[in-house]
Amino acid sequence: MPNFWGMRPARSPAELGLTAHDRRKLQRALRQTRDARHFRRLLAIKLIAEGKGPGEAAHLAALSRPAVYCWLERYLAERTPSALVDAPRSGRPRKAPRLTSKRLRRVVGSSPEKAGWASHGWTVPLLCTHLQRQGLEVSPRTLRRRLREAGLAWKRPRYVYATAAPHLGQKKGALFAV
C-alpha cells in the first residue's frame, strides 16, 4: 500500500522472495555480461536483493524507480538473469534494400566511361547520380556505408610513374646518381 507521498513501502529481500542463491546468480551474471543496459538492470536487482531500497538501487544503477520496479517484477516472475535482457528487435528498415553488395561491386567494377560518364573513376556523388538514373534513390552517406559493408575501400588514386626518373639521385640531393 502506498504511503503518504505515493511511494511503495520498502520491502525486505526475504519479503520479495530474493535469496542468497539469487544474489549469487546475479553476481555471476554481472561478471559475464558485456551489455551496459543489461548490467544496470542486473545491478539494480542485485542491490535490492542485498537489502537496498528501490530508490537507492535506481540511483546507483542510473535507472528510474519505475523501471526498477518493472525489472524486479520481471526477474521475480522468471527467476533468471536472462529475463532482464532486451528482446531482439529488427531495427529500422534498410534504405535502398535493392542495393546489394553484389550489385554495388558490379557497378563499381565497371568503368564510368562505359556507362556514359565523362570520368575515369567513380566518385560517391557520381555513383549516387548513376544509381539514381537506374531508379535507385540512395544518399551519399548510405552509399559510403554500403561500400564499407561490401568491403570496398574508397581511396584517392595514387599516381605511380611507369619508370624511375633518370636523375633521381641528383633530384634527391645526392652527388651521384645511384
Side-chain angles (χ1 to χ4, degrees):
M1 178 170 167
N3 63 12
F4 177 74
W5 293 281
M7 298 168 56
R8 296 180 189 167
R11 294 177 12 190
S12 71
E15 289 176 320
L16 292 171
L18 293 169
T19 64
H21 179 67
D22 286 318
R23 285 193 298 272
R24 285 191 302 270
K25 271 196 304 189
L26 291 164
Q27 182 62 39
R28 203 171 325 136
L30 275 169
R31 277 188 253 121
Q32 292 173 351
T33 189
R34 297 289 171 246
D35 180 32
R37 294 172 66 162
H38 187 219
F39 182 87
R40 290 195 334 244
R41 294 169 189 160
L42 288 167
L43 180 62
I45 304 307
K46 180 180 170 278
L47 290 170
I48 290 173
E50 291 174 348
K52 304 267 192 242
E56 189 177 357
H59 177 72
L60 293 172
L63 294 170
S64 66
R65 277 193 41 205
V68 169
Y69 282 114
C70 172
W71 293 114
L72 179 61
E73 287 176 21
R74 186 171 294 178
Y75 179 78
L76 291 174
E78 296 185 29
R79 293 283 182 192
T80 176
S82 62
L84 305 177
V85 177
D86 279 331
R89 296 184 290 252
S90 63
R92 181 179 176 175
R94 289 179 71 104
K95 292 271 188 171
R98 293 182 5 221
L99 182 60
T100 61
S101 291
K102 184 177 179 181
R103 183 175 187 179
L104 195 55
R105 287 178 189 277
R106 187 175 57 240
V107 171
V108 171
S110 66
S111 170
E113 291 176 315
K114 290 181 183 175
W117 299 102
S119 176
H120 296 292
W122 289 110
T123 62
V124 171
L126 180 61
L127 201 51
C128 283
T129 306
H130 179 70
L131 292 171
Q132 183 180 1
R133 288 199 179 160
Q134 290 183 343
L136 196 65
E137 196 72 32
V138 62
S139 70
R141 182 177 178 189
T142 300
L143 184 58
R144 285 185 181 92
R145 192 171 50 248
R146 293 290 177 85
L147 287 165
R148 198 175 322 113
E149 288 172 7
L152 296 169
W154 201 259
K155 297 181 180 179
R156 291 179 180 264
R158 178 182 283 178
Y159 297 105
V160 179
Y161 295 112
T163 59
H167 305 294
L168 184 64
Q170 292 173 353
K171 290 180 181 177
K172 295 289 184 183
L175 295 176
F176 300 101
V178 180

